[in-house]
Amino acid sequence: MPKGYWVSVYRTISDPEKLAAYNELARPAVQAGGGRTFVRGGRVVAHDAGLAERVVLIEFDSFEQAVAAHESAAYQEALVVLSDGVERDFRIVEGID
């Protein structure tokens, strides 16, 4: 079964305090949903239309598990805290088997 991934690329971080509060809530929500963080920040080299900003990559055992974790009450609470503190491109994608 193909794995599922959350891929999040931050365009701007306008409120670092909101991002920090989001991280405090999102981390346990992701772990409870079975997610494993592989990339969180760090160095970035961007090409083409990419932005050299914060990138987060989280792996789940399946695409369905990744979607369910995003829809969980705990993660939705984290999103409320984050609100307009960042602008990001967030996707849930299916890996290849």
PDB file of all heavy atoms in Angstrom, residues 42-82:
ATOM      1  N   GLY A  42      15.340  23.606   8.181  1.00  0.00           N
ATOM      2  CA  GLY A  42      16.635  23.211   7.635  1.00  0.00           C
ATOM      3  C   GLY A  42      16.973  23.966   6.359  1.00  0.00           C
ATOM      4  O   GLY A  42      16.265  24.874   5.929  1.00  0.00           O
ATOM      5  N   ARG A  43      18.057  23.553   5.758  1.00  0.00           N
ATOM      6  CA  ARG A  43      18.539  24.241   4.552  1.00  0.00           C
ATOM      7  C   ARG A  43      17.693  23.877   3.335  1.00  0.00           C
ATOM      8  O   ARG A  43      17.234  22.750   3.214  1.00  0.00           O
ATOM      9  CB  ARG A  43      19.997  23.882   4.298  1.00  0.00           C
ATOM     10  CG  ARG A  43      20.889  24.336   5.441  1.00  0.00           C
ATOM     11  CD  ARG A  43      22.349  24.177   5.161  1.00  0.00           C
ATOM     12  NE  ARG A  43      22.706  22.803   4.810  1.00  0.00           N
ATOM     13  CZ  ARG A  43      23.880  22.467   4.292  1.00  0.00           C
ATOM     14  NH1 ARG A  43      24.803  23.377   4.062  1.00  0.00           N
ATOM     15  NH2 ARG A  43      24.141  21.218   4.013  1.00  0.00           N
ATOM     16  N   VAL A  44      17.526  24.855   2.468  1.00  0.00           N
ATOM     17  CA  VAL A  44      16.724  24.686   1.253  1.00  0.00           C
ATOM     18  C   VAL A  44      17.462  25.319   0.085  1.00  0.00           C
ATOM     19  O   VAL A  44      17.972  26.429   0.209  1.00  0.00           O
ATOM     20  CB  VAL A  44      15.337  25.375   1.387  1.00  0.00           C
ATOM     21  CG1 VAL A  44      14.568  25.281   0.077  1.00  0.00           C
ATOM     22  CG2 VAL A  44      14.537  24.794   2.533  1.00  0.00           C
ATOM     23  N   VAL A  45      17.532  24.620  -1.019  1.00  0.00           N
ATOM     24  CA  VAL A  45      17.976  25.188  -2.288  1.00  0.00           C
ATOM     25  C   VAL A  45      16.777  25.104  -3.220  1.00  0.00           C
ATOM     26  O   VAL A  45      16.282  24.011  -3.495  1.00  0.00           O
ATOM     27  CB  VAL A  45      19.181  24.418  -2.877  1.00  0.00           C
ATOM     28  CG1 VAL A  45      19.529  24.958  -4.252  1.00  0.00           C
ATOM     29  CG2 VAL A  45      20.371  24.484  -1.940  1.00  0.00           C
ATOM     30  N   ALA A  46      16.292  26.240  -3.668  1.00  0.00           N
ATOM     31  CA  ALA A  46      15.102  26.276  -4.516  1.00  0.00           C
ATOM     32  C   ALA A  46      15.494  26.452  -5.979  1.00  0.00           C
ATOM     33  O   ALA A  46      16.435  27.176  -6.292  1.00  0.00           O
ATOM     34  CB  ALA A  46      14.191  27.412  -4.077  1.00  0.00           C
ATOM     35  N   HIS A  47      14.752  25.793  -6.855  1.00  0.00           N
ATOM     36  CA  HIS A  47      14.959  25.904  -8.299  1.00  0.00           C
ATOM     37  C   HIS A  47      13.637  26.260  -8.960  1.00  0.00           C
ATOM     38  O   HIS A  47      12.572  26.103  -8.378  1.00  0.00           O
ATOM     39  CB  HIS A  47      15.490  24.580  -8.868  1.00  0.00           C
ATOM     40  CG  HIS A  47      16.848  24.233  -8.359  1.00  0.00           C
ATOM     41  ND1 HIS A  47      18.001  24.773  -8.867  1.00  0.00           N
ATOM     42  CD2 HIS A  47      17.226  23.413  -7.348  1.00  0.00           C
ATOM     43  CE1 HIS A  47      19.043  24.289  -8.216  1.00  0.00           C
ATOM     44  NE2 HIS A  47      18.600  23.462  -7.283  1.00  0.00           N
ATOM     45  N   ASP A  48      13.717  26.691 -10.179  1.00  0.00           N
ATOM     46  CA  ASP A  48      12.552  27.057 -10.987  1.00  0.00           C
ATOM     47  C   ASP A  48      11.727  28.101 -10.232  1.00  0.00           C
ATOM     48  O   ASP A  48      12.255  29.109  -9.843  1.00  0.00           O
ATOM     49  CB  ASP A  48      11.757  25.819 -11.381  1.00  0.00           C
ATOM     50  CG  ASP A  48      12.617  24.833 -12.181  1.00  0.00           C
ATOM     51  OD1 ASP A  48      13.462  25.296 -12.964  1.00  0.00           O
ATOM     52  OD2 ASP A  48      12.467  23.618 -11.991  1.00  0.00           O
ATOM     53  N   ALA A  49      10.449  27.845  -9.985  1.00  0.00           N
ATOM     54  CA  ALA A  49       9.597  28.824  -9.299  1.00  0.00           C
ATOM     55  C   ALA A  49       9.558  28.592  -7.790  1.00  0.00           C
ATOM     56  O   ALA A  49       8.741  29.170  -7.088  1.00  0.00           O
ATOM     57  CB  ALA A  49       8.186  28.769  -9.870  1.00  0.00           C
ATOM     58  N   GLY A  50      10.428  27.728  -7.279  1.00  0.00           N
ATOM     59  CA  GLY A  50      10.442  27.404  -5.857  1.00  0.00           C
ATOM     60  C   GLY A  50      10.920  28.552  -4.995  1.00  0.00           C
ATOM     61  O   GLY A  50      11.612  29.460  -5.446  1.00  0.00           O
ATOM     62  N   LEU A  51      10.525  28.510  -3.740  1.00  0.00           N
ATOM     63  CA  LEU A  51      10.935  29.500  -2.762  1.00  0.00           C
ATOM     64  C   LEU A  51      11.837  28.830  -1.732  1.00  0.00           C
ATOM     65  O   LEU A  51      11.541  27.728  -1.267  1.00  0.00           O
ATOM     66  CB  LEU A  51       9.709  30.084  -2.044  1.00  0.00           C
ATOM     67  CG  LEU A  51       8.694  30.811  -2.921  1.00  0.00           C
ATOM     68  CD1 LEU A  51       7.464  31.178  -2.108  1.00  0.00           C
ATOM     69  CD2 LEU A  51       9.315  32.053  -3.524  1.00  0.00           C
ATOM     70  N   ALA A  52      12.900  29.485  -1.374  1.00  0.00           N
ATOM     71  CA  ALA A  52      13.834  28.924  -0.385  1.00  0.00           C
ATOM     72  C   ALA A  52      13.344  29.276   1.015  1.00  0.00           C
ATOM     73  O   ALA A  52      13.943  30.065   1.737  1.00  0.00           O
ATOM     74  CB  ALA A  52      15.238  29.445  -0.631  1.00  0.00           C
ATOM     75  N   GLU A  53      12.217  28.717   1.388  1.00  0.00           N
ATOM     76  CA  GLU A  53      11.594  28.956   2.685  1.00  0.00           C
ATOM     77  C   GLU A  53      11.426  27.635   3.420  1.00  0.00           C
ATOM     78  O   GLU A  53      11.789  26.576   2.917  1.00  0.00           O
ATOM     79  CB  GLU A  53      10.235  29.645   2.504  1.00  0.00           C
ATOM     80  CG  GLU A  53      10.309  31.014   1.857  1.00  0.00           C
ATOM     81  CD  GLU A  53      11.037  32.046   2.712  1.00  0.00           C
ATOM     82  OE1 GLU A  53      11.123  31.871   3.947  1.00  0.00           O
ATOM     83  OE2 GLU A  53      11.528  33.028   2.139  1.00  0.00           O
ATOM     84  N   ARG A  54      10.834  27.691   4.580  1.00  0.00           N
ATOM     85  CA  ARG A  54      10.615  26.527   5.431  1.00  0.00           C
ATOM     86  C   ARG A  54       9.824  25.447   4.688  1.00  0.00           C
ATOM     87  O   ARG A  54       8.813  25.736   4.041  1.00  0.00           O
ATOM     88  CB  ARG A  54       9.856  26.967   6.684  1.00  0.00           C
ATOM     89  CG  ARG A  54       9.520  25.861   7.656  1.00  0.00           C
ATOM     90  CD  ARG A  54       8.714  26.449   8.829  1.00  0.00           C
ATOM     91  NE  ARG A  54       8.268  25.428   9.731  1.00  0.00           N
ATOM     92  CZ  ARG A  54       8.974  24.976  10.757  1.00  0.00           C
ATOM     93  NH1 ARG A  54      10.172  25.465  10.998  1.00  0.00           N
ATOM     94  NH2 ARG A  54       8.483  24.040  11.552  1.00  0.00           N
ATOM     95  N   VAL A  55      10.277  24.197   4.794  1.00  0.00           N
ATOM     96  CA  VAL A  55       9.604  23.047   4.204  1.00  0.00           C
ATOM     97  C   VAL A  55       9.402  22.002   5.303  1.00  0.00           C
ATOM     98  O   VAL A  55      10.286  21.784   6.128  1.00  0.00           O
ATOM     99  CB  VAL A  55      10.444  22.432   3.056  1.00  0.00           C
ATOM    100  CG1 VAL A  55       9.779  21.167   2.518  1.00  0.00           C
ATOM    101  CG2 VAL A  55      10.656  23.445   1.943  1.00  0.00           C
ATOM    102  N   VAL A  56       8.229  21.368   5.295  1.00  0.00           N
ATOM    103  CA  VAL A  56       7.932  20.288   6.234  1.00  0.00           C
ATOM    104  C   VAL A  56       7.438  19.094   5.422  1.00  0.00           C
ATOM    105  O   VAL A  56       6.589  19.241   4.549  1.00  0.00           O
ATOM    106  CB  VAL A  56       6.866  20.720   7.268  1.00  0.00           C
ATOM    107  CG1 VAL A  56       6.528  19.571   8.207  1.00  0.00           C
ATOM    108  CG2 VAL A  56       7.329  21.942   8.054  1.00  0.00           C
ATOM    109  N   LEU A  57       7.989  17.915   5.729  1.00  0.00           N
ATOM    110  CA  LEU A  57       7.589  16.671   5.072  1.00  0.00           C
ATOM    111  C   LEU A  57       7.287  15.637   6.149  1.00  0.00           C
ATOM    112  O   LEU A  57       8.145  15.336   6.981  1.00  0.00           O
ATOM    113  CB  LEU A  57       8.696  16.154   4.149  1.00  0.00           C
ATOM    114  CG  LEU A  57       8.446  14.792   3.502  1.00  0.00           C
ATOM    115  CD1 LEU A  57       7.249  14.854   2.554  1.00  0.00           C
ATOM    116  CD2 LEU A  57       9.685  14.324   2.773  1.00  0.00           C
ATOM    117  N   ILE A  58       6.056  15.108   6.130  1.00  0.00           N
ATOM    118  CA  ILE A  58       5.617  14.128   7.119  1.00  0.00           C
ATOM    119  C   ILE A  58       5.087  12.908   6.386  1.00  0.00           C
ATOM    120  O   ILE A  58       4.301  13.040   5.438  1.00  0.00           O
ATOM    121  CB  ILE A  58       4.537  14.725   8.036  1.00  0.00           C
ATOM    122  CG1 ILE A  58       5.099  15.955   8.763  1.00  0.00           C
ATOM    123  CG2 ILE A  58       4.033  13.675   9.027  1.00  0.00           C
ATOM    124  CD1 ILE A  58       4.089  16.728   9.560  1.00  0.00           C
ATOM    125  N   GLU A  59       5.511  11.726   6.840  1.00  0.00           N
ATOM    126  CA  GLU A  59       5.101  10.465   6.215  1.00  0.00           C
ATOM    127  C   GLU A  59       4.079   9.742   7.095  1.00  0.00           C
ATOM    128  O   GLU A  59       4.202   9.728   8.316  1.00  0.00           O
ATOM    129  CB  GLU A  59       6.321   9.564   6.025  1.00  0.00           C
ATOM    130  CG  GLU A  59       5.966   8.217   5.397  1.00  0.00           C
ATOM    131  CD  GLU A  59       7.175   7.293   5.324  1.00  0.00           C
ATOM    132  OE1 GLU A  59       7.611   6.811   6.396  1.00  0.00           O
ATOM    133  OE2 GLU A  59       7.662   7.085   4.209  1.00  0.00           O
ATOM    134  N   PHE A  60       3.096   9.141   6.431  1.00  0.00           N
ATOM    135  CA  PHE A  60       2.092   8.305   7.079  1.00  0.00           C
ATOM    136  C   PHE A  60       2.092   6.943   6.386  1.00  0.00           C
ATOM    137  O   PHE A  60       2.525   6.827   5.239  1.00  0.00           O
ATOM    138  CB  PHE A  60       0.694   8.934   6.952  1.00  0.00           C
ATOM    139  CG  PHE A  60       0.550  10.229   7.714  1.00  0.00           C
ATOM    140  CD1 PHE A  60       0.958  11.429   7.160  1.00  0.00           C
ATOM    141  CD2 PHE A  60       0.010  10.238   8.985  1.00  0.00           C
ATOM    142  CE1 PHE A  60       0.836  12.618   7.848  1.00  0.00           C
ATOM    143  CE2 PHE A  60      -0.119  11.430   9.692  1.00  0.00           C
ATOM    144  CZ  PHE A  60       0.297  12.614   9.121  1.00  0.00           C
ATOM    145  N   ASP A  61       1.583   5.927   7.045  1.00  0.00           N
ATOM    146  CA  ASP A  61       1.579   4.578   6.478  1.00  0.00           C
ATOM    147  C   ASP A  61       0.696   4.451   5.246  1.00  0.00           C
ATOM    148  O   ASP A  61       0.883   3.547   4.439  1.00  0.00           O
ATOM    149  CB  ASP A  61       1.169   3.552   7.530  1.00  0.00           C
ATOM    150  CG  ASP A  61       2.256   3.330   8.574  1.00  0.00           C
ATOM    151  OD1 ASP A  61       3.442   3.608   8.288  1.00  0.00           O
ATOM    152  OD2 ASP A  61       1.914   2.884   9.684  1.00  0.00           O
ATOM    153  N   SER A  62      -0.284   5.361   5.100  1.00  0.00           N
ATOM    154  CA  SER A  62      -1.151   5.325   3.916  1.00  0.00           C
ATOM    155  C   SER A  62      -1.675   6.729   3.623  1.00  0.00           C
ATOM    156  O   SER A  62      -1.664   7.608   4.499  1.00  0.00           O
ATOM    157  CB  SER A  62      -2.344   4.381   4.136  1.00  0.00           C
ATOM    158  OG  SER A  62      -3.238   4.931   5.092  1.00  0.00           O
ATOM    159  N   PHE A  63      -2.155   6.908   2.413  1.00  0.00           N
ATOM    160  CA  PHE A  63      -2.774   8.180   2.014  1.00  0.00           C
ATOM    161  C   PHE A  63      -3.996   8.458   2.882  1.00  0.00           C
ATOM    162  O   PHE A  63      -4.199   9.576   3.350  1.00  0.00           O
ATOM    163  CB  PHE A  63      -3.166   8.105   0.525  1.00  0.00           C
ATOM    164  CG  PHE A  63      -3.819   9.357   0.020  1.00  0.00           C
ATOM    165  CD1 PHE A  63      -3.056  10.472  -0.319  1.00  0.00           C
ATOM    166  CD2 PHE A  63      -5.188   9.424  -0.137  1.00  0.00           C
ATOM    167  CE1 PHE A  63      -3.653  11.627  -0.798  1.00  0.00           C
ATOM    168  CE2 PHE A  63      -5.796  10.570  -0.614  1.00  0.00           C
ATOM    169  CZ  PHE A  63      -5.028  11.677  -0.941  1.00  0.00           C
ATOM    170  N   GLU A  64      -4.787   7.415   3.119  1.00  0.00           N
ATOM    171  CA  GLU A  64      -5.998   7.564   3.931  1.00  0.00           C
ATOM    172  C   GLU A  64      -5.660   8.019   5.353  1.00  0.00           C
ATOM    173  O   GLU A  64      -6.355   8.849   5.935  1.00  0.00           O
ATOM    174  CB  GLU A  64      -6.795   6.257   3.949  1.00  0.00           C
ATOM    175  CG  GLU A  64      -7.420   5.891   2.618  1.00  0.00           C
ATOM    176  CD  GLU A  64      -6.438   5.352   1.576  1.00  0.00           C
ATOM    177  OE1 GLU A  64      -5.320   4.920   1.943  1.00  0.00           O
ATOM    178  OE2 GLU A  64      -6.792   5.367   0.382  1.00  0.00           O
ATOM    179  N   GLN A  65      -4.587   7.469   5.902  1.00  0.00           N
ATOM    180  CA  GLN A  65      -4.161   7.855   7.245  1.00  0.00           C
ATOM    181  C   GLN A  65      -3.729   9.329   7.259  1.00  0.00           C
ATOM    182  O   GLN A  65      -4.022  10.055   8.210  1.00  0.00           O
ATOM    183  CB  GLN A  65      -3.015   6.950   7.703  1.00  0.00           C
ATOM    184  CG  GLN A  65      -2.615   7.142   9.148  1.00  0.00           C
ATOM    185  CD  GLN A  65      -1.482   6.221   9.544  1.00  0.00           C
ATOM    186  OE1 GLN A  65      -0.650   5.836   8.724  1.00  0.00           O
ATOM    187  NE2 GLN A  65      -1.450   5.862  10.807  1.00  0.00           N
ATOM    188  N   ALA A  66      -3.062   9.775   6.212  1.00  0.00           N
ATOM    189  CA  ALA A  66      -2.636  11.175   6.121  1.00  0.00           C
ATOM    190  C   ALA A  66      -3.841  12.103   6.070  1.00  0.00           C
ATOM    191  O   ALA A  66      -3.863  13.148   6.733  1.00  0.00           O
ATOM    192  CB  ALA A  66      -1.745  11.369   4.895  1.00  0.00           C
ATOM    193  N   VAL A  67      -4.856  11.739   5.296  1.00  0.00           N
ATOM    194  CA  VAL A  67      -6.064  12.551   5.205  1.00  0.00           C
ATOM    195  C   VAL A  67      -6.791  12.566   6.549  1.00  0.00           C
ATOM    196  O   VAL A  67      -7.215  13.623   7.032  1.00  0.00           O
ATOM    197  CB  VAL A  67      -6.989  12.030   4.081  1.00  0.00           C
ATOM    198  CG1 VAL A  67      -8.344  12.722   4.122  1.00  0.00           C
ATOM    199  CG2 VAL A  67      -6.324  12.222   2.718  1.00  0.00           C
ATOM    200  N   ALA A  68      -6.912  11.410   7.188  1.00  0.00           N
ATOM    201  CA  ALA A  68      -7.600  11.322   8.477  1.00  0.00           C
ATOM    202  C   ALA A  68      -6.897  12.153   9.548  1.00  0.00           C
ATOM    203  O   ALA A  68      -7.554  12.813  10.370  1.00  0.00           O
ATOM    204  CB  ALA A  68      -7.706   9.863   8.918  1.00  0.00           C
ATOM    205  N   ALA A  69      -5.578  12.149   9.543  1.00  0.00           N
ATOM    206  CA  ALA A  69      -4.834  12.943  10.526  1.00  0.00           C
ATOM    207  C   ALA A  69      -5.106  14.431  10.325  1.00  0.00           C
ATOM    208  O   ALA A  69      -5.260  15.181  11.291  1.00  0.00           O
ATOM    209  CB  ALA A  69      -3.338  12.647  10.423  1.00  0.00           C
ATOM    210  N   HIS A  70      -5.183  14.859   9.070  1.00  0.00           N
ATOM    211  CA  HIS A  70      -5.475  16.267   8.787  1.00  0.00           C
ATOM    212  C   HIS A  70      -6.873  16.633   9.249  1.00  0.00           C
ATOM    213  O   HIS A  70      -7.108  17.739   9.737  1.00  0.00           O
ATOM    214  CB  HIS A  70      -5.312  16.561   7.297  1.00  0.00           C
ATOM    215  CG  HIS A  70      -5.491  18.003   6.967  1.00  0.00           C
ATOM    216  ND1 HIS A  70      -6.712  18.537   6.649  1.00  0.00           N
ATOM    217  CD2 HIS A  70      -4.605  19.031   6.933  1.00  0.00           C
ATOM    218  CE1 HIS A  70      -6.574  19.835   6.419  1.00  0.00           C
ATOM    219  NE2 HIS A  70      -5.294  20.150   6.588  1.00  0.00           N
ATOM    220  N   GLU A  71      -7.812  15.725   9.103  1.00  0.00           N
ATOM    221  CA  GLU A  71      -9.203  15.989   9.461  1.00  0.00           C
ATOM    222  C   GLU A  71      -9.484  15.801  10.949  1.00  0.00           C
ATOM    223  O   GLU A  71     -10.573  16.135  11.416  1.00  0.00           O
ATOM    224  CB  GLU A  71     -10.126  15.099   8.634  1.00  0.00           C
ATOM    225  CG  GLU A  71     -10.079  15.434   7.152  1.00  0.00           C
ATOM    226  CD  GLU A  71     -10.875  14.476   6.285  1.00  0.00           C
ATOM    227  OE1 GLU A  71     -11.424  13.476   6.820  1.00  0.00           O
ATOM    228  OE2 GLU A  71     -10.946  14.724   5.078  1.00  0.00           O
ATOM    229  N   SER A  72      -8.521  15.297  11.714  1.00  0.00           N
ATOM    230  CA  SER A  72      -8.735  15.032  13.139  1.00  0.00           C
ATOM    231  C   SER A  72      -9.033  16.316  13.898  1.00  0.00           C
ATOM    232  O   SER A  72      -8.588  17.410  13.525  1.00  0.00           O
ATOM    233  CB  SER A  72      -7.512  14.345  13.749  1.00  0.00           C
ATOM    234  OG  SER A  72      -6.437  15.273  13.878  1.00  0.00           O
ATOM    235  N   ALA A  73      -9.778  16.185  14.985  1.00  0.00           N
ATOM    236  CA  ALA A  73     -10.113  17.342  15.814  1.00  0.00           C
ATOM    237  C   ALA A  73      -8.857  18.005  16.370  1.00  0.00           C
ATOM    238  O   ALA A  73      -8.765  19.242  16.424  1.00  0.00           O
ATOM    239  CB  ALA A  73     -11.047  16.911  16.947  1.00  0.00           C
ATOM    240  N   ALA A  74      -7.885  17.204  16.765  1.00  0.00           N
ATOM    241  CA  ALA A  74      -6.660  17.759  17.339  1.00  0.00           C
ATOM    242  C   ALA A  74      -5.899  18.605  16.322  1.00  0.00           C
ATOM    243  O   ALA A  74      -5.405  19.699  16.646  1.00  0.00           O
ATOM    244  CB  ALA A  74      -5.766  16.632  17.863  1.00  0.00           C
ATOM    245  N   TYR A  75      -5.803  18.144  15.072  1.00  0.00           N
ATOM    246  CA  TYR A  75      -5.082  18.930  14.069  1.00  0.00           C
ATOM    247  C   TYR A  75      -5.887  20.164  13.660  1.00  0.00           C
ATOM    248  O   TYR A  75      -5.321  21.227  13.421  1.00  0.00           O
ATOM    249  CB  TYR A  75      -4.700  18.090  12.852  1.00  0.00           C
ATOM    250  CG  TYR A  75      -3.811  18.893  11.928  1.00  0.00           C
ATOM    251  CD1 TYR A  75      -2.497  19.167  12.283  1.00  0.00           C
ATOM    252  CD2 TYR A  75      -4.295  19.436  10.752  1.00  0.00           C
ATOM    253  CE1 TYR A  75      -1.690  19.964  11.471  1.00  0.00           C
ATOM    254  CE2 TYR A  75      -3.496  20.221   9.941  1.00  0.00           C
ATOM    255  CZ  TYR A  75      -2.194  20.481  10.307  1.00  0.00           C
ATOM    256  OH  TYR A  75      -1.402  21.270   9.516  1.00  0.00           O
ATOM    257  N   GLN A  76      -7.190  20.021  13.591  1.00  0.00           N
ATOM    258  CA  GLN A  76      -8.022  21.178  13.257  1.00  0.00           C
ATOM    259  C   GLN A  76      -7.883  22.277  14.305  1.00  0.00           C
ATOM    260  O   GLN A  76      -7.893  23.463  13.972  1.00  0.00           O
ATOM    261  CB  GLN A  76      -9.488  20.756  13.084  1.00  0.00           C
ATOM    262  CG  GLN A  76      -9.722  19.882  11.861  1.00  0.00           C
ATOM    263  CD  GLN A  76      -9.317  20.565  10.570  1.00  0.00           C
ATOM    264  OE1 GLN A  76      -9.739  21.690  10.289  1.00  0.00           O
ATOM    265  NE2 GLN A  76      -8.495  19.897   9.780  1.00  0.00           N
ATOM    266  N   GLU A  77      -7.711  21.892  15.565  1.00  0.00           N
ATOM    267  CA  GLU A  77      -7.464  22.867  16.633  1.00  0.00           C
ATOM    268  C   GLU A  77      -6.147  23.606  16.379  1.00  0.00           C
ATOM    269  O   GLU A  77      -6.056  24.823  16.569  1.00  0.00           O
ATOM    270  CB  GLU A  77      -7.422  22.153  17.984  1.00  0.00           C
ATOM    271  CG  GLU A  77      -7.199  23.063  19.156  1.00  0.00           C
ATOM    272  CD  GLU A  77      -7.121  22.321  20.471  1.00  0.00           C
ATOM    273  OE1 GLU A  77      -7.543  21.144  20.534  1.00  0.00           O
ATOM    274  OE2 GLU A  77      -6.627  22.912  21.450  1.00  0.00           O
ATOM    275  N   ALA A  78      -5.131  22.872  15.940  1.00  0.00           N
ATOM    276  CA  ALA A  78      -3.839  23.498  15.632  1.00  0.00           C
ATOM    277  C   ALA A  78      -3.991  24.505  14.493  1.00  0.00           C
ATOM    278  O   ALA A  78      -3.389  25.588  14.533  1.00  0.00           O
ATOM    279  CB  ALA A  78      -2.807  22.424  15.273  1.00  0.00           C
ATOM    280  N   LEU A  79      -4.790  24.172  13.494  1.00  0.00           N
ATOM    281  CA  LEU A  79      -4.989  25.085  12.367  1.00  0.00           C
ATOM    282  C   LEU A  79      -5.671  26.383  12.794  1.00  0.00           C
ATOM    283  O   LEU A  79      -5.361  27.449  12.272  1.00  0.00           O
ATOM    284  CB  LEU A  79      -5.804  24.408  11.267  1.00  0.00           C
ATOM    285  CG  LEU A  79      -5.084  23.339  10.464  1.00  0.00           C
ATOM    286  CD1 LEU A  79      -6.035  22.699   9.460  1.00  0.00           C
ATOM    287  CD2 LEU A  79      -3.866  23.913   9.759  1.00  0.00           C
ATOM    288  N   VAL A  80      -6.590  26.292  13.756  1.00  0.00           N
ATOM    289  CA  VAL A  80      -7.257  27.494  14.253  1.00  0.00           C
ATOM    290  C   VAL A  80      -6.238  28.424  14.897  1.00  0.00           C
ATOM    291  O   VAL A  80      -6.260  29.640  14.681  1.00  0.00           O
ATOM    292  CB  VAL A  80      -8.383  27.125  15.248  1.00  0.00           C
ATOM    293  CG1 VAL A  80      -8.889  28.355  15.980  1.00  0.00           C
ATOM    294  CG2 VAL A  80      -9.519  26.421  14.530  1.00  0.00           C
ATOM    295  N   VAL A  81      -5.307  27.861  15.654  1.00  0.00           N
ATOM    296  CA  VAL A  81      -4.261  28.658  16.304  1.00  0.00           C
ATOM    297  C   VAL A  81      -3.349  29.298  15.254  1.00  0.00           C
ATOM    298  O   VAL A  81      -2.942  30.448  15.393  1.00  0.00           O
ATOM    299  CB  VAL A  81      -3.461  27.776  17.291  1.00  0.00           C
ATOM    300  CG1 VAL A  81      -2.210  28.478  17.782  1.00  0.00           C
ATOM    301  CG2 VAL A  81      -4.341  27.362  18.455  1.00  0.00           C
ATOM    302  N   LEU A  82      -3.031  28.567  14.212  1.00  0.00           N
ATOM    303  CA  LEU A  82      -2.147  29.079  13.159  1.00  0.00           C
ATOM    304  C   LEU A  82      -2.816  30.210  12.387  1.00  0.00           C
ATOM    305  O   LEU A  82      -2.184  31.218  12.079  1.00  0.00           O
ATOM    306  CB  LEU A  82      -1.753  27.951  12.199  1.00  0.00           C
ATOM    307  CG  LEU A  82      -0.822  28.321  11.058  1.00  0.00           C
ATOM    308  CD1 LEU A  82       0.516  28.833  11.592  1.00  0.00           C
ATOM    309  CD2 LEU A  82      -0.614  27.114  10.141  1.00  0.00           C
TER     310      LEU A  82
END
